[in-house]
Amino acid sequence: YSAKRLKSGYSIYSEEQDEKDPYRLLLMGDLRAAIEKNELYLVYQPKAELKTNTILSAEALLRWKHPKLGLIPPSDFIPIAEQIGVINAITTWVLNEALKQSKLWEAEHIDIEIAVNLSARNLQDAELPIRLKALLQQYGVSPRKITLEITESFIMADPVRAKEVLMNIHEMGIQLSIDDFGTGYSSLAYLKTLPVDTIKIDKSFVADMANDATDSMIVRSIIFLAHNLGLKVVAEGVEDLQSWNMLASYGCDIIQGYYLQKPLAPYEFKRWLVARMESGITSGQL
Ligand code: C2E
Ligand code: MG
Ligand code: MG
Ligand code: MG
Protein backbone atom coordinates (compact mmCIF):
# COMPACT_ATOMS: atom_id res chain seq x y z
CA TYR A 1 0.00 0.00 0.00
CA SER A 2 2.73 2.47 -0.70
CA ALA A 3 2.04 5.92 -2.05
CA LYS A 4 4.93 5.37 -4.41
CA ARG A 5 3.27 2.66 -6.41
CA LEU A 6 0.28 4.86 -6.86
CA LYS A 7 2.39 7.66 -8.22
CA SER A 8 3.71 5.43 -10.94
CA GLY A 9 0.38 4.99 -12.65
CA TYR A 10 -2.70 6.13 -10.79
CA SER A 11 -3.91 8.40 -13.55
CA ILE A 12 -4.29 5.66 -16.13
CA TYR A 13 -6.33 3.25 -14.01
CA SER A 14 -9.70 2.38 -15.45
CA GLU A 15 -12.79 2.68 -13.27
CA GLU A 16 -12.97 -1.07 -13.02
CA GLN A 17 -9.41 -1.40 -11.78
CA ASP A 18 -10.03 1.49 -9.40
CA GLU A 19 -12.70 -0.41 -7.56
CA LYS A 20 -10.35 -3.25 -6.83
CA ASP A 21 -7.29 -1.19 -6.04
CA PRO A 22 -6.59 -1.81 -2.33
CA TYR A 23 -4.83 1.53 -1.91
CA ARG A 24 -7.88 3.39 -3.21
CA LEU A 25 -10.25 1.28 -1.14
CA LEU A 26 -8.27 2.02 1.97
CA LEU A 27 -8.28 5.76 1.26
CA MET A 28 -12.01 5.64 0.56
CA GLY A 29 -12.65 3.97 3.89
CA ASP A 30 -10.51 6.37 5.90
CA LEU A 31 -11.06 9.74 4.23
CA ARG A 32 -14.46 10.40 5.75
CA ALA A 33 -13.02 10.31 9.26
CA ALA A 34 -9.78 12.12 8.41
CA ILE A 35 -11.18 15.54 9.26
CA GLU A 36 -12.36 14.59 12.73
CA LYS A 37 -9.17 12.69 13.39
CA ASN A 38 -7.16 15.81 12.62
CA GLU A 39 -5.20 14.17 9.86
CA LEU A 40 -5.59 17.02 7.36
CA TYR A 41 -3.46 20.13 7.33
CA LEU A 42 -2.52 22.97 5.02
CA VAL A 43 0.84 24.03 3.68
CA TYR A 44 1.42 27.39 2.02
CA GLN A 45 3.37 28.10 -1.14
CA PRO A 46 4.34 31.73 -1.77
CA LYS A 47 3.79 33.66 -4.99
CA ALA A 48 6.08 36.57 -5.89
CA GLU A 49 5.13 39.65 -7.85
CA LEU A 50 7.87 39.95 -10.46
CA LYS A 51 7.87 43.72 -10.90
CA THR A 52 8.36 44.48 -7.22
CA ASN A 53 9.83 41.15 -6.14
CA THR A 54 7.52 41.02 -3.17
CA ILE A 55 5.54 38.15 -1.73
CA LEU A 56 1.93 39.23 -1.88
CA SER A 57 0.19 35.91 -1.54
CA ALA A 58 0.34 32.24 -0.69
CA GLU A 59 -1.57 29.25 -2.01
CA ALA A 60 -3.00 26.88 0.58
CA LEU A 61 -2.35 23.26 -0.42
CA LEU A 62 -4.01 20.38 1.34
CA ARG A 63 -2.13 17.46 2.90
CA TRP A 64 -3.35 14.24 4.48
CA LYS A 65 -1.15 12.48 6.97
CA HIS A 66 -2.56 8.98 7.02
CA PRO A 67 -1.70 7.08 10.23
CA LYS A 68 -0.54 3.98 8.33
CA LEU A 69 0.27 5.16 4.82
CA GLY A 70 1.98 8.43 5.67
CA LEU A 71 1.62 11.50 3.52
CA ILE A 72 -1.02 11.17 0.80
CA PRO A 73 -0.85 13.72 -2.05
CA PRO A 74 -4.05 15.63 -2.90
CA SER A 75 -3.99 14.25 -6.43
CA ASP A 76 -4.67 10.85 -4.82
CA PHE A 77 -7.43 11.76 -2.40
CA ILE A 78 -9.26 14.77 -3.88
CA PRO A 79 -10.80 12.63 -6.67
CA ILE A 80 -11.85 10.10 -4.03
CA ALA A 81 -13.35 12.87 -1.90
CA GLU A 82 -15.42 13.91 -4.91
CA GLN A 83 -16.46 10.35 -5.59
CA ILE A 84 -17.62 9.52 -2.06
CA GLY A 85 -19.27 12.88 -1.52
CA VAL A 86 -17.05 14.44 1.13
CA ILE A 87 -15.53 17.16 -1.04
CA ASN A 88 -17.85 19.87 0.26
CA ALA A 89 -16.97 19.00 3.85
CA ILE A 90 -13.28 19.05 2.96
CA THR A 91 -13.53 22.38 1.14
CA THR A 92 -15.37 23.86 4.11
CA TRP A 93 -12.59 22.62 6.38
CA VAL A 94 -9.92 24.09 4.06
CA LEU A 95 -11.68 27.46 3.83
CA ASN A 96 -12.12 27.60 7.59
CA GLU A 97 -8.45 26.77 8.17
CA ALA A 98 -7.20 29.23 5.52
CA LEU A 99 -9.32 32.11 6.82
CA LYS A 100 -8.20 31.37 10.37
CA GLN A 101 -4.60 31.53 9.14
CA SER A 102 -5.30 34.77 7.31
CA LYS A 103 -6.53 36.32 10.55
CA LEU A 104 -3.54 34.97 12.49
CA TRP A 105 -1.07 36.39 9.98
CA GLU A 106 -2.86 39.71 9.99
CA ALA A 107 -2.49 39.84 13.78
CA GLU A 108 1.24 39.18 13.30
CA HIS A 109 1.44 41.99 10.72
CA ILE A 110 2.12 39.56 7.94
CA ASP A 111 0.32 41.09 5.03
CA ILE A 112 -0.41 38.19 2.74
CA GLU A 113 -3.32 37.13 0.57
CA ILE A 114 -4.37 33.50 0.61
CA ALA A 115 -5.52 31.41 -2.35
CA VAL A 116 -7.65 28.31 -1.89
CA ASN A 117 -8.26 25.62 -4.52
CA LEU A 118 -11.80 24.66 -5.32
CA SER A 119 -12.77 21.31 -6.69
CA ALA A 120 -15.05 20.38 -9.58
CA ARG A 121 -17.96 19.54 -7.34
CA ASN A 122 -17.81 22.66 -5.22
CA LEU A 123 -19.53 24.83 -7.80
CA GLN A 124 -22.57 22.58 -7.69
CA ASP A 125 -22.88 23.32 -3.99
CA ALA A 126 -25.54 26.00 -3.67
CA GLU A 127 -24.39 26.69 -0.11
CA LEU A 128 -20.84 27.64 -1.07
CA PRO A 129 -21.34 31.42 -1.45
CA ILE A 130 -23.36 31.52 1.79
CA ARG A 131 -20.72 29.57 3.68
CA LEU A 132 -17.96 31.78 2.30
CA LYS A 133 -19.73 34.90 3.46
CA ALA A 134 -20.29 33.43 6.93
CA LEU A 135 -16.63 32.43 7.26
CA LEU A 136 -15.38 35.86 6.16
CA GLN A 137 -17.61 37.38 8.80
CA GLN A 138 -16.66 34.89 11.49
CA TYR A 139 -12.94 35.59 11.10
CA GLY A 140 -13.29 39.24 10.13
CA VAL A 141 -11.23 38.70 6.99
CA SER A 142 -11.58 41.04 4.03
CA PRO A 143 -12.74 39.22 0.89
CA ARG A 144 -9.98 41.04 -1.01
CA LYS A 145 -7.49 38.88 0.86
CA ILE A 146 -8.94 35.71 -0.58
CA THR A 147 -8.54 34.19 -4.03
CA LEU A 148 -10.24 31.04 -5.18
CA GLU A 149 -8.41 28.92 -7.77
CA ILE A 150 -10.62 26.99 -10.15
CA THR A 151 -9.56 24.74 -12.99
CA GLU A 152 -11.02 25.43 -16.39
CA SER A 153 -12.18 21.85 -16.89
CA PHE A 154 -14.73 22.12 -14.17
CA ILE A 155 -16.07 25.42 -15.43
CA MET A 156 -16.61 23.78 -18.80
CA ALA A 157 -18.49 20.89 -17.16
CA ASP A 158 -21.44 23.21 -16.45
CA PRO A 159 -20.66 26.69 -17.80
CA VAL A 160 -24.03 28.27 -17.01
CA ARG A 161 -24.09 27.13 -13.40
CA ALA A 162 -20.38 27.90 -12.98
CA LYS A 163 -20.86 31.45 -14.21
CA GLU A 164 -23.72 32.05 -11.81
CA VAL A 165 -21.79 30.85 -8.77
CA LEU A 166 -18.62 32.67 -9.80
CA MET A 167 -20.55 35.94 -10.25
CA ASN A 168 -22.01 35.46 -6.81
CA ILE A 169 -18.63 34.89 -5.20
CA HIS A 170 -16.93 37.67 -7.14
CA GLU A 171 -19.56 40.18 -6.08
CA MET A 172 -18.52 39.54 -2.48
CA GLY A 173 -15.08 40.89 -3.40
CA ILE A 174 -13.30 37.54 -3.54
CA GLN A 175 -10.80 37.20 -6.39
CA LEU A 176 -11.00 34.38 -8.88
CA SER A 177 -8.18 32.66 -10.71
CA ILE A 178 -8.20 30.02 -13.43
CA ASP A 179 -5.80 27.27 -12.37
CA ASP A 180 -3.81 25.02 -14.71
CA PHE A 181 -4.60 27.21 -17.69
CA GLY A 182 -3.76 25.61 -21.02
CA THR A 183 -4.62 22.04 -20.06
CA GLY A 184 -8.35 22.32 -20.79
CA TYR A 185 -10.19 23.35 -23.89
CA SER A 186 -11.53 26.76 -22.98
CA SER A 187 -10.35 29.87 -24.75
CA LEU A 188 -9.23 33.02 -23.01
CA ALA A 189 -11.97 34.82 -24.91
CA TYR A 190 -14.53 32.59 -23.17
CA LEU A 191 -12.90 32.92 -19.76
CA LYS A 192 -13.05 36.68 -20.20
CA THR A 193 -16.86 36.42 -20.06
CA LEU A 194 -16.47 35.13 -16.49
CA PRO A 195 -15.62 37.38 -13.54
CA VAL A 196 -12.02 36.16 -13.52
CA ASP A 197 -9.06 38.28 -12.38
CA THR A 198 -6.06 36.09 -13.07
CA ILE A 199 -5.01 32.97 -14.91
CA LYS A 200 -2.34 30.54 -13.78
CA ILE A 201 -0.38 29.02 -16.63
CA ASP A 202 -0.08 25.30 -15.98
CA LYS A 203 3.30 24.09 -14.80
CA SER A 204 3.53 21.61 -17.67
CA PHE A 205 4.31 24.59 -19.95
CA VAL A 206 6.45 26.43 -17.43
CA ALA A 207 8.63 23.73 -15.88
CA ASP A 208 10.73 23.13 -18.98
CA MET A 209 10.35 26.43 -20.80
CA ALA A 210 14.05 27.26 -20.50
CA ASN A 211 14.88 24.19 -22.61
CA ASP A 212 11.82 23.90 -24.80
CA ALA A 213 11.17 26.57 -27.43
CA THR A 214 7.59 25.42 -27.99
CA ASP A 215 6.76 25.70 -24.30
CA SER A 216 8.31 29.13 -24.01
CA MET A 217 6.41 30.30 -27.10
CA ILE A 218 3.13 29.02 -25.62
CA VAL A 219 3.84 30.75 -22.31
CA ARG A 220 4.76 33.98 -24.05
CA SER A 221 1.62 33.90 -26.21
CA ILE A 222 -0.68 33.20 -23.25
CA ILE A 223 0.82 36.14 -21.34
CA PHE A 224 0.40 38.44 -24.36
CA LEU A 225 -3.19 37.42 -24.96
CA ALA A 226 -4.19 37.47 -21.29
CA HIS A 227 -2.77 40.97 -20.83
CA ASN A 228 -4.66 42.21 -23.86
CA LEU A 229 -7.83 40.85 -22.29
CA GLY A 230 -7.09 42.60 -19.01
CA LEU A 231 -6.15 39.50 -17.05
CA LYS A 232 -3.19 39.11 -14.72
CA VAL A 233 -0.91 36.14 -15.24
CA VAL A 234 0.64 33.78 -12.71
CA ALA A 235 3.18 31.19 -13.85
CA GLU A 236 3.20 28.07 -11.65
CA GLY A 237 5.98 25.51 -11.48
CA VAL A 238 8.96 27.83 -11.96
CA GLU A 239 11.96 25.67 -11.08
CA ASP A 240 15.00 27.62 -12.30
CA LEU A 241 16.44 31.10 -12.61
CA GLN A 242 16.46 31.02 -16.38
CA SER A 243 12.69 30.47 -16.52
CA TRP A 244 12.21 33.17 -13.91
CA ASN A 245 14.16 35.64 -16.06
CA MET A 246 12.32 34.63 -19.23
CA LEU A 247 8.97 35.12 -17.50
CA ALA A 248 10.11 38.54 -16.29
CA SER A 249 11.07 39.52 -19.82
CA TYR A 250 7.66 38.38 -21.11
CA GLY A 251 5.97 40.64 -18.58
CA CYS A 252 4.49 37.84 -16.47
CA ASP A 253 2.95 39.37 -13.33
CA ILE A 254 3.43 36.71 -10.66
CA ILE A 255 5.48 33.57 -10.31
CA GLN A 256 5.26 30.52 -8.10
CA GLY A 257 7.38 27.39 -7.97
CA TYR A 258 10.12 25.48 -6.24
CA TYR A 259 12.69 28.01 -7.40
CA LEU A 260 11.05 30.58 -5.15
CA GLN A 261 9.93 28.19 -2.42
CA LYS A 262 8.14 24.91 -1.89
CA PRO A 263 4.89 24.73 0.13
CA LEU A 264 5.63 25.32 3.83
CA ALA A 265 3.91 24.91 7.18
CA PRO A 266 2.61 28.26 8.51
CA TYR A 267 5.45 28.77 11.02
CA GLU A 268 8.07 27.93 8.36
CA PHE A 269 6.38 30.27 5.94
CA LYS A 270 6.54 33.13 8.41
CA ARG A 271 10.19 32.43 9.22
CA TRP A 272 11.10 32.31 5.53
CA LEU A 273 9.21 35.51 4.79
CA VAL A 274 10.82 37.45 7.61
CA ALA A 275 14.31 36.21 6.67
CA ARG A 276 13.68 37.14 3.05
CA MET A 277 12.59 40.64 3.93
CA GLU A 278 15.49 41.16 6.29
CA SER A 279 18.06 40.13 3.70
CA GLY A 280 16.61 42.56 1.15
CA ILE A 281 16.49 40.05 -1.64
CA THR A 282 16.60 41.21 -5.26
CA SER A 283 14.95 39.64 -8.25
CA GLY A 284 15.55 36.05 -9.19
CA GLN A 285 17.16 35.09 -5.91
CA LEU A 286 15.95 32.61 -3.38
P1 C2E B 1 -2.48 23.11 -8.18
O1 C2E B 1 -3.50 23.94 -7.49
O2 C2E B 1 -2.23 23.39 -9.61
O3 C2E B 1 -1.17 23.29 -7.32
C1 C2E B 1 0.13 23.21 -7.84
C2 C2E B 1 0.81 21.92 -7.49
O4 C2E B 1 2.16 21.94 -8.01
C3 C2E B 1 0.99 21.64 -6.00
O5 C2E B 1 0.97 20.24 -5.83
C4 C2E B 1 2.38 22.19 -5.71
O6 C2E B 1 2.98 21.63 -4.57
C5 C2E B 1 3.09 21.77 -6.97
N1 C2E B 1 4.24 22.64 -7.29
C6 C2E B 1 4.49 23.87 -6.86
N2 C2E B 1 5.64 24.37 -7.38
C7 C2E B 1 6.13 23.40 -8.18
C8 C2E B 1 7.29 23.31 -9.01
O7 C2E B 1 8.11 24.21 -9.13
N3 C2E B 1 7.45 22.14 -9.71
C9 C2E B 1 6.54 21.13 -9.62
N4 C2E B 1 6.79 20.03 -10.33
N5 C2E B 1 5.45 21.18 -8.83
C10 C2E B 1 5.23 22.31 -8.14
P2 C2E B 1 0.10 19.55 -4.69
O8 C2E B 1 0.21 20.32 -3.41
O9 C2E B 1 0.46 18.10 -4.68
O10 C2E B 1 -1.38 19.72 -5.22
C11 C2E B 1 -1.79 19.12 -6.41
C12 C2E B 1 -3.18 19.56 -6.79
O11 C2E B 1 -4.13 19.11 -5.82
C13 C2E B 1 -3.35 21.05 -6.84
O12 C2E B 1 -2.85 21.56 -8.06
C14 C2E B 1 -4.84 21.18 -6.70
O13 C2E B 1 -5.47 20.98 -7.93
C15 C2E B 1 -5.17 20.03 -5.77
N6 C2E B 1 -5.33 20.56 -4.40
C16 C2E B 1 -4.40 20.86 -3.47
N7 C2E B 1 -4.96 21.33 -2.34
C17 C2E B 1 -6.29 21.35 -2.57
C18 C2E B 1 -7.44 21.75 -1.79
O14 C2E B 1 -7.35 22.25 -0.65
N8 C2E B 1 -8.67 21.59 -2.38
C19 C2E B 1 -8.81 21.09 -3.63
N9 C2E B 1 -10.05 20.98 -4.13
N10 C2E B 1 -7.77 20.73 -4.40
C20 C2E B 1 -6.53 20.85 -3.88
MG1 MG C 1 -3.90 25.90 -7.42
MG1 MG D 1 -2.20 24.93 -10.78
MG1 MG E 1 -1.42 22.32 -11.64
Side-chain angles (χ1 to χ4, degrees), residues 45 59 62-63 74 117 119 179-180 203 236-237 239 257-258 263:
Q45 187 178 32
E59 178 176 8
L62 187 58
R63 298 290 179 262
N117 291 283
S119 175
D179 209 341
D180 302 345
K203 59 177 179 291
E236 68 171 19
E239 294 185 352
Y258 297 157

Side-chain angles (χ1 to χ4, degrees), residues 179-208:
D179 209 341
D180 302 345
F181 182 79
T183 57
Y185 299 98
S186 55
S187 68
L188 275 174
Y190 169 71
L191 293 178
K192 191 54 193 158
T193 69
L194 301 171
V196 164
D197 310 282
T198 57
I199 58 156
K200 286 183 90 168
I201 305 178
D202 190 68
K203 59 177 179 291
S204 60
F205 303 110
V206 176
D208 202 30

